[in-house]
Amino acid sequence: MDETLNMFKALTETPGVPGHEHEVRQEMKKWIEPYADQIETDNLGSLIAKKKGQSAGPKIMIAGHLDEIGFMVTQITEKGFLRFQTLGGWWEQVMLAQRVHVLTRNGEKIEGVIGSKPPHILPAEERKKPVNKKEMFIDIGATSQEEAEAFGVRPGDSVVPVCPFTVMKNPKMLMAKAWDNRIGCALAIEVLKRLHNEEHPNTVYGVGTVQEEVGLRGAQTSAAYIQPDVAFAVDVGIAGDTPGVKPEEAMSKLGEGPQILLYDASMIAHKGLKNFVVDIAEELDIPYQFDVMSGGGQDAGRIHLSGSGVPSLAVSIATRYIHSHASILHRDDFEHAARLLVEVIKRLDQDALVKIKS
C-alpha cells in the first residue's frame, strides 16, 4: 500500500469512541506532526496542529472529528454478559450479530459479539419487529460476572466495531469502520502536508475534534481555543447511489467529487464562503457536488456560532453505509477534496475574507 492508504488503515483501525479518543489522537498526531509548526490539545482533548503562513492573514480551521460511533459497557450481568450504552447514532437493524472489541483499562482488546434473544422463541408478531437496543447485550464468552471482571472488563469501558481496512477489488473503493470521521482527520493531515512547501497568506489549523457524535462538543472547545476567522468541517456525507435511494433523498454519488453541504439541522452554509469555494472549484475544474440534509449535524454547526460568529462550510466525502460497522468511499473524492481545500487556502487572504463577509 502507498503512504496514503497506510494512513487510512492506521486511522480507521485505531479505536476511539466519544470520550475515549486518546489512541486515535496519538495516531493523528504522528501523521500530522511533520507538517505542523506547533501541536497542542484543548482541555477536552481535541488535537490542534498549527501551520503558520503570513501572520497578518486569517486563521483558518480545518476540522475532522476523531471519534467514531461505538458503545460503552454499563453493566456486567451475573452470567457474564455485558449491557451497554450506544455512543452516537445507531440503527438497531445494523447492530445484531456484529463483532466488537471491548477495550479494557489495561489496553487489552476482548473479542465479543452483539446478541439478543433468539428469534426462534419469539412470538410471530415480535419476529417482524426490529430488536430494541435495550434488549441487546454483548457476549464475550464469560460464564459469570467474576470471570468477565477477571478478563479486565469494567463498566465504563469503550466498545468499538470490528472491520479491517480493505482496498476492494476496484482499488478506488475503500471499506473500513470509522470512515465517519477518520476521513476528515486524514483530510486535515493531507491539507497541511500539501501546504508544507507552499506559501499561503494565513495560519492554518488542522484539528481533530472530540465527541462530535454526541453533540459536537470538541468543535465548541477547539473553536474557542483557536478563535478562527474561517472554518471548514471535513466529514462524511450520505451517498445516494445505492439501490432504493431516490435522487431527492440523497443527491451525491461516489467518485463525483466532494460534497458542499448547503444545509443540515445544525447550520446553513455561509453564502460568501460557499460562493468563494465553488468559484475556485469551477475555475480549476475540480469536481464537486451539492448536498442537503434535513436532519443531522456536523462540527461546523457548533463552530459557526463561536465567539461573534465564524463563516463556516462543511466539505464532505460521500460515503455508503455510515453509522454501521463497515462503510465505503471513493479515493478520488478524498484527492479532489484535498486539492480544493489547499487551493482555497492559498487564495484566502485578508482581502478575500472581507469579500466573503460582505
Side-chain angles (χ1 to χ4, degrees), residues 58-62 228-232 273 310-312 348 353 356:
K59 293 190 288 186
I60 302 173
M61 181 176 180
I62 309 289
D229 297 300
V230 173
F232 296 94
L273 185 56
V310 181
S312 301
L348 217 169
L353 179 60
I356 286 168

Side-chain angles (χ1 to χ4, degrees), residues 238 248-249 261 263-267 291-297:
I238 303 295
E248 62 269 23
E249 293 174 324
L261 187 63
Y263 170 89
D264 69 10
S266 69
M267 68 170 283
D291 196 28
V292 295
M293 289 195 299
S294 59

Side-chain angles (χ1 to χ4, degrees), residues 32 132 140 158 289 303 306 320:
I32 205 169
N132 192 293
I140 59 171
S158 64
Q289 309 175 74
I303 296 167
S306 180
R320 296 173 182 166

